[in-house]
Amino acid sequence: EGTTQARQRLLHGRVAKALRRGRPQGAMAARIARHYELAGEEQEAAVFYVQAAEHGRGLYANEQAIAHYRSGLALGHPEVGRLHEAIGDLLTSIGDYSGSVQNYEAALAYAANSSIAGLEHKLGGVYDRWGRWDRAESHFAAGLQAAGGRQAPILADWSLSLYRRGQRDRAQQLIQEALA
């Protein structure tokens, strides 16, 4: 408590570097990130928060993983689109469809052309789960348009959505396209 803020930052930086030397695994990444953050080294902290998030995601610690991804974003991690997509995936898995849509749409804002189809596909899936079928259909269509050669998974999910709503003829048509 008696040390200056500059000294505290220096000490937190040293702790983070010492913890890194031990080949940090998963859970240690969050501690390292926190020490880098307190040291004012935001870029390093962001990288380690994302490592902690990926470790938590692998353990199905979804809430914790979401918090770590958000910390990484807040501290300026350069892969903004990828992190928003990861948060969207986790929010979908816990049933927060509104949050997942927001994050997938944010990911779309940063997406390269090669990722647009996958994000539109995911948005279609979320809206389908949510029961907003018109929106699901528009995202499946947008994903299909952006897909180029990888159309079968989108067609299959769109077909299943239509089948669940009783539109069997259209569902059959799309599944045949997917099989082709």
Side-chain angles (χ1 to χ4, degrees), residues 128 131-138 140 155-176:
D128 182 52
R132 296 185 175 184
W133 295 294
D134 289 341
R135 292 193 112 175
E137 196 157 339
S138 71
F140 285 136
L155 288 167
D157 285 347
W158 191 357
S159 172
L160 182 59
S161 175
L162 291 168
Y163 180 81
R164 288 182 189 138
R165 294 183 316 201
Q167 297 180 21
R168 289 182 167 76
D169 291 339
R170 178 80 172 120
Q172 184 69 30
Q173 178 188 358
L174 289 179
I175 203 63
Q176 290 302 320

Side-chain angles (χ1 to χ4, degrees), residues 12 41-43 46 52 60 74 83 86 91 94 104-105 113 135 145 152 162 164:
H12 280 294
E41 296 182 42
E42 293 180 349
Q43 289 297 316
Y60 299 101
L83 300 189
L91 290 171
I94 63 174
Y104 287 146
E105 287 176 350
N113 287 342
R135 292 193 112 175
Q145 184 177 7
L162 291 168
R164 288 182 189 138

Side-chain angles (χ1 to χ4, degrees), residues 15-114:
V15 170
K17 287 177 178 111
L19 291 173
R20 282 183 72 171
R21 278 189 228 125
R23 294 176 45 109
Q25 299 294 318
M28 185 62 72
R31 289 176 139 177
I32 295 168
R34 182 70 178 139
H35 282 290
Y36 272 130
E37 184 178 6
L38 292 170
E41 296 182 42
E42 293 180 349
Q43 289 297 316
E44 288 291 326
V47 168
F48 279 95
Y49 273 125
V50 170
Q51 285 181 18
E54 290 168 355
H55 175 72
R57 188 176 187 177
L59 298 173
Y60 299 101
N62 295 335
E63 297 287 343
Q64 194 173 42
I66 291 166
H68 290 317
Y69 278 129
R70 286 180 174 156
S71 293
L73 279 171
L75 293 171
H77 194 281
E79 296 177 282
V80 176
R82 181 178 75 84
L83 300 189
H84 276 295
E85 182 177 2
I87 294 169
D89 292 345
L90 290 165
L91 290 171
T92 299
S93 72
I94 63 174
D96 181 352
Y97 301 142
S98 175
S100 64
V101 165
Q102 288 175 349
N103 279 278
Y104 287 146
E105 287 176 350
L108 270 171
Y110 293 93
N113 287 342
S114 60

